[in-house]
Amino acid sequence: MSVRTLAVAPGQGSLLDQVDDLGLRPLGRAVTRRVLDHGAWVDVRPGWVTGSRTLLEHLLDAVPWQAERRRMYDRVVDTPRLLRFYAEHEPLPHPLLVAAREALDAHYAAEPAAEPFATAGLCLYRDEHDSVAWHGDRIGRGATHDTMVAIVSVGAPRRLLLRPRGGGASLTLPVGHGDLVVMGGSCQRTWEHAVPKERHPTGPRVSIQLRPRGVR
Ligand SMILES: O=C(O)CCC(=O)C(=O)O
């Protein structure tokens, strides 16, 4: 599916997106952790990818985006975003994603639930109408074991919401322009996350989710 019509409007990126070369800033102490209830945690590293507008434009063009269809009652409908899943050992669509995966493996090597990040799920939110509903990544081991899911965002900022699975106040993380969020501990089974639709016009955002083997 071509998404060439989603070209990024001039001035749409942040200033940093436009002036910096494509690259990765250090992780280290720039990563801040928020400890959540029930053994979950979330790490944030704003602006991890520099020059992320270049990466956005490349991914919009080079990734063979696919629409996914879901049954809803008696109808089959398109899910409101485009997707492409890269299995373990499948070449990734840009070398920066390989560098990001290696940097994350090194940074999180000492975590109790450390495992190499193996797969990459890419999602394209074309505009403010695209979204993903509340869910945890509970296909596979995320349903029973602590794990980590790293999300790198390029393009227009959206809101990533997290809430305890049984209900409770949600927290909101802005994600776009090269930001990194890592959900860890029990987050996939005790918390849910969502990217809601927005009311105001929003440009494209690509979310790159890196997961260990057997987590989806
Ligand atoms: O857009 C995001 O960053 C979240 C995507 C997500 O939760 C998923 O695809 O499972």
Side-chain angles (χ1 to χ4, degrees):
M1 173 170 299
S2 168
V3 290
R4 282 172 192 278
T5 50
L6 289 178
V8 186
Q12 187 177 291
S14 79
L15 212 53
L16 286 176
D17 279 348
Q18 293 166 42
V19 295
D20 285 358
D21 288 340
L22 184 58
L24 295 172
R25 291 198 176 87
L27 289 172
R29 283 156 53 164
V31 179
T32 54
R33 177 159 303 184
R34 182 153 173 180
V35 176
L36 306 174
D37 290 342
H38 316 298
W41 53 260
V42 61
D43 279 358
V44 174
R45 197 314 178 195
W48 184 37
V49 180
T50 58
S52 61
R53 181 179 166 146
T54 307
L55 181 59
L56 172 70
E57 287 174 351
H58 176 85
L59 296 177
L60 287 178
D61 204 37
V63 172
W65 296 105
Q66 294 158 354
E68 200 175 70
R69 294 178 68 72
R70 288 238 164 99
R71 175 161 290 282
M72 231 179 131
Y73 307 107
D74 57 344
R75 289 184 309 146
V76 177
V77 295
D78 281 342
T79 57
R81 59 180 185 165
L82 301 180
L83 307 161
R84 174 68 162 89
F85 180 73
Y86 292 84
E88 191 174 0
H89 305 309
E90 195 176 343
L92 294 174
H94 194 286
L96 189 99
L97 304 195
V98 179
R101 190 176 58 195
E102 287 170 0
L104 289 165
D105 283 345
H107 181 79
Y108 286 102
E111 280 297 328
E115 288 176 277
F117 291 97
T119 65
L122 271 60
C123 301
L124 168 57
Y125 299 82
R126 292 158 290 188
D127 59 25
E128 66 278 13
H129 305 296
D130 279 354
S131 62
V132 67
W134 288 108
H135 69 285
D137 295 357
R138 283 194 283 272
I139 300 176
R141 280 180 308 102
T144 49
H145 290 71
D146 284 5
T147 188
M148 288 185 287
V149 176
I151 300 178
V152 184
S153 299
V154 295
R158 295 291 296 260
R159 290 175 300 142
L160 177 70
L161 310 183
L162 283 99
R163 71 177 182 196
R165 194 170 171 203
S170 65
L171 73 104
T172 302
L173 303 173
V175 283
H177 299 317
D179 298 332
L180 169 71
V181 169
V182 180
M183 295 178 278
S186 68
C187 205
Q188 300 307 326
R189 61 181 195 281
T190 61
W191 286 66
E192 298 177 307
H193 53 279
V195 176
K197 296 183 196 308
E198 298 291 349
R199 286 173 192 272
H200 56 275
T202 304
R205 163 182 176 253
V206 172
S207 160
I208 302 144
Q209 301 126 42
L210 298 168
R211 298 185 178 86
R213 182 186 297 164
V215 178
R216 193 84 185 256

